[in-house]
Amino acid sequence: MLEISKSKNKGWEELILSLILTAIHCICDMLTGIYVQFQIYRRKFQRKDYKADFTSIKHLSQHQLSKIPQHIALAFLETELDLSQVASLILWSVASGCQYLSLYDFKGLLKNQRIELIAQLTLLSHHLNPSDKFQLQWSTEGNNHLKGNGRSSSNNCVQICLLSREDGQADIVRSAQVLASANARISEEAIEAQLNRLKVDPDLLVRFGLARSNLGYPPWQIRLSEIHDLNSHFCCPRQFVQVLFRYSQCHQRFGC
């Protein structure tokens, strides 16, 4: 009888402990959500100085960072996207000195709103100094050929690619079908040449959102990427700079 009583007490203890842990987890999730929403609204109504932010990040990259990423990938893992804020992140990435930029969202919202995004970029670029003007070359759907948007007369050029979940396994299938229909020899190199990607894999992947997941980002492109997380794409320049600092201080070792 004593053993049965102890077994029942242990069962109740495990149940109570489970309920307590679940309650703590829910409270932490709620508090985190409230904090993130507060930061988002604060960022939305905060006065923005695009010229000063661009100049500050550019100066930092040129004089204080030991290394800068050649290719930056931005993964937007939130349910909603603000094109103006996405445009700001593009400006900051360009200011860092990167040459390639990939933008990923699971649903392909950026692909569908590329024209609106270019309009936002054009609007924000008016705030920059003439010497900071840049040109973006956009990759076309399904290949690596690039189209310029004709916004700048400067030599500062950044190649940019828009990605969605269709550029994961589905893009490999599409590439193989294209080669098969052309009776071409199917090889790893031939398929890779057909993929919707830039020729250089990302050095740095910044994920925006609380998911802490890649959510379908093409895994073969980020085998050697440094991955950093921010709670929302409604971040400030200081948070973006902190990511650049952490990347700069990271030493990769690939073994023998």
Side-chain angles (χ1 to χ4, degrees):
M1 291 294 293
L2 182 60
E3 291 182 358
I4 296 176
S5 177
K6 287 182 177 180
S7 177
K8 289 183 178 179
N9 290 336
K10 186 177 180 180
W12 278 106
E13 290 174 358
E14 291 179 351
L15 178 60
I16 293 173
L17 180 60
S18 176
L19 292 174
I20 291 174
L21 292 176
T22 301
I24 293 174
H25 181 76
C26 292
I27 292 172
C28 289
D29 280 350
M30 182 180 66
L31 293 177
T32 301
I34 292 173
Y35 173 77
V36 170
Q37 288 301 318
F38 172 75
Q39 295 297 329
I40 289 175
Y41 283 113
R42 188 180 72 168
R43 177 63 184 162
K44 281 184 177 181
F45 296 106
Q46 190 176 27
R47 184 178 178 274
K48 302 177 181 64
D49 191 336
Y50 301 105
K51 179 179 177 181
D53 293 341
F54 190 97
T55 302
S56 176
I57 295 175
K58 182 178 179 180
H59 182 272
L60 173 82
S61 297
Q62 292 177 347
H63 298 95
Q64 298 186 39
L65 299 182
S66 59
K67 67 174 182 177
I68 57 175
Q70 183 184 18
H71 182 173
I72 297 178
L74 306 177
F76 300 94
L77 311 181
E78 299 165 275
T79 55
E80 296 182 1
L81 284 178
D82 184 281
L83 292 184
S84 177
Q85 184 62 21
V86 173
S88 295
L89 287 163
I90 293 175
L91 288 186
W92 302 343
S93 300
V94 171
S96 74
C98 74
Q99 298 176 324
Y100 305 92
L101 184 60
S102 293
L103 307 181
Y104 174 85
D105 73 285
F106 184 75
K107 297 180 179 180
L109 299 175
L110 292 176
K111 286 183 177 182
N112 296 332
Q113 302 180 61
R114 191 177 77 164
I115 295 177
E116 292 86 347
L117 179 58
I118 292 176
Q120 285 290 337
L121 281 167
T122 303
L123 182 64
L124 297 189
S125 67
H126 292 325
H127 297 276
L128 304 181
N129 292 320
S131 60
D132 291 331
K133 296 292 184 178
F134 61 92
Q135 182 180 12
L136 293 178
Q137 290 186 317
W138 298 79
S139 68
T140 59
E141 186 75 19
N143 60 55
N144 295 324
H145 300 295
L146 299 166
K147 292 183 177 180
N149 60 14
R151 294 189 303 101
S152 173
S153 59
S154 74
N155 294 322
N156 299 326
C157 181
V158 176
Q159 297 180 12
I160 185 169
C161 181
L162 300 181
L163 301 169
S164 67
R165 66 174 176 177
E166 297 175 353
D167 299 301
Q169 294 180 353
D171 199 30
I172 294 180
V173 174
R174 182 200 58 78
S175 300
Q177 290 174 339
V178 170
L179 294 173
S181 62
N183 293 322
R185 180 175 176 272
I186 297 179
S187 65
E188 181 179 341
E189 293 77 13
I191 292 178
E192 188 173 289
Q194 292 289 330
L195 296 177
N196 182 28
R197 62 181 297 182
L198 299 173
K199 62 181 181 180
V200 176
D201 288 338
D203 304 298
L204 171 64
L205 170 63
V206 185
R207 304 184 300 192
F208 300 99
L210 299 176
R212 302 298 188 259
S213 166
N214 296 334
L215 283 186
Y217 195 107
W220 49 89
Q221 296 188 24
I222 53 175
R223 294 165 295 178
L224 303 176
S225 304
E226 290 294 321
I227 301 177
H228 296 272
D229 294 294
L230 292 175
N231 289 334
S232 173
H233 70 294
F234 280 100
C235 60
C236 64
R238 177 179 55 81
Q239 293 173 296
F240 186 80
V241 165
Q242 287 175 345
V243 171
L244 293 178
F245 262 117
R246 291 197 295 269
Y247 170 81
S248 175
Q249 296 169 355
C250 178
H251 298 281
Q252 288 184 309
R253 293 179 175 84
F254 303 103
C256 299

